[in-house]
Amino acid sequence: MKQQRKDMKLEENEYPPGLHSQPYVTAHNMILSHATALHIYKTKYQEKQGGSIGIVLSMVWYEPLKDTVEDNSLVQSTFDFEIGWFLDPFIYGDYPNEMKKYLGPKLPTFSAKEKEKLRYGLNFIGMNYYKSLYVGRCGVSYCKVAERDGIPIGKKTPMPGRKGADVRGYLVWSLIYYFEWIHGYTLRFGIYHVDYNTQKRTPKSSAKWFKDFPQCSKITARKRR
């Protein structure tokens, strides 16, 4: 079991800056920053404004590759390292035991005062859900795959299908290009093209679409009434 957790931790080198301890320190500070913003809003502004504040996480749903004790355990470990890492502090006031056990001193700790602030309460939990995968032992390491015995884990959903989704808002992915995970600036997302040499910003066709979208939506909504 220790070997599979060791394999899991090696993935941290995939992301910049590629330092074993840096992702945990960075995430720790992000969590504390979010907790501070949460506390400030709920104590100073929420009663007057009547708004909600929470957290949104990107996630993948996992199923065991094989119905074995090892693969089922690995599924839970994967959830702990990917979702529990950020959600558990706000629900339970601390990181998952799995992370603490296998990362040891590499994982920062919360003070008693910080834990109290963390558990101040979330009004909602949002999920950016992209896909489902199998996770399990593959040879000497573990793997995440979309098929088992040549059969996909589920039917592919055509983009942009949103049927059955309770949509409360629509936000553009990004106004201008940003640093995209492990791809840096090699992948371009955004409604304004940026010339990296001159920094000139040019609106793309998607910028015009997004500008017109709210008005079109209002018209459509009125017609439906």
Side-chain angles (χ1 to χ4, degrees):
M1 300 300 287
K2 288 186 177 181
Q3 178 63 37
Q4 67 187 31
R5 301 324 194 281
K6 180 180 180 182
D7 298 333
M8 182 184 300
K9 290 184 288 182
L10 291 179
E11 281 195 341
E12 64 197 20
N13 281 329
E14 182 181 359
Y15 298 96
L19 303 177
H20 281 293
S21 61
Q22 193 63 39
Y24 306 111
V25 174
T26 302
H28 189 76
N29 289 328
M30 289 171 58
I31 291 169
L32 290 177
S33 297
H34 189 87
T36 298
L38 180 74
H39 182 263
I40 291 174
Y41 185 76
K42 297 200 76 172
T43 56
K44 293 186 177 182
Y45 304 103
Q46 189 173 44
E47 183 177 356
K48 179 180 179 180
Q49 296 179 355
S52 298
I53 187 168
I55 189 171
V56 180
L57 302 173
S58 176
M59 72 163 292
V60 174
W61 180 259
Y62 294 105
E63 293 287 341
L65 183 59
K66 298 178 181 179
D67 189 16
T68 62
V69 173
E70 182 179 22
D71 282 9
N72 277 278
S73 176
L74 188 54
V75 167
Q76 184 58 53
S77 297
T78 306
F79 280 129
D80 285 341
F81 272 83
E82 293 189 5
I83 302 300
W85 182 2
F86 295 94
L87 192 56
D88 276 27
F90 293 102
I91 303 299
Y92 304 110
D94 206 352
Y95 293 116
N97 289 330
E98 187 81 351
M99 292 189 71
K100 293 191 289 185
K101 179 179 179 180
Y102 289 96
L103 293 176
K106 289 174 57 177
L107 186 66
T109 58
F110 297 109
S111 67
K113 186 176 182 180
E114 289 170 341
K115 288 183 178 181
E116 182 179 351
K117 183 181 291 186
L118 281 168
R119 298 187 64 177
Y120 205 80
L122 298 169
N123 294 130
F124 67 86
I125 298 172
M127 290 290 181
N128 287 329
Y129 173 69
Y130 290 97
K131 57 187 176 183
S132 296
L133 294 173
Y134 290 113
V135 61
R137 171 65 60 183
C138 300
V140 297
S141 62
Y142 88 106
C143 62
K144 300 174 183 176
V145 294
E147 296 183 356
R148 181 170 60 190
D149 298 326
I151 302 175
I153 193 170
K155 294 181 179 179
K156 291 185 177 181
T157 56
M159 293 291 287
R162 297 295 295 281
K163 294 181 180 179
D166 182 7
V167 180
R168 302 295 181 92
Y170 191 94
L171 301 176
V172 67
W173 184 249
S174 179
L175 295 176
I176 59 176
Y177 300 134
Y178 60 92
F179 195 85
E180 167 60 15
W181 294 75
I182 62 175
H183 302 289
Y185 291 113
T186 60
L187 288 182
R188 291 174 174 260
F189 294 96
I191 61 178
Y192 278 79
H193 175 273
V194 178
D195 186 308
Y196 295 142
N197 295 320
T198 65
Q199 295 297 298
K200 180 181 178 181
R201 292 164 170 77
T202 305
K204 294 155 62 172
S205 57
S206 53
K208 182 181 184 304
W209 178 90
F210 188 71
K211 178 181 178 182
D212 296 337
F213 176 76
Q215 186 62 34
C216 292
S217 298
K218 290 179 182 179
I219 294 173
T220 303
R222 291 194 192 101
K223 288 182 178 179
R224 288 178 179 175
R225 291 194 183 102

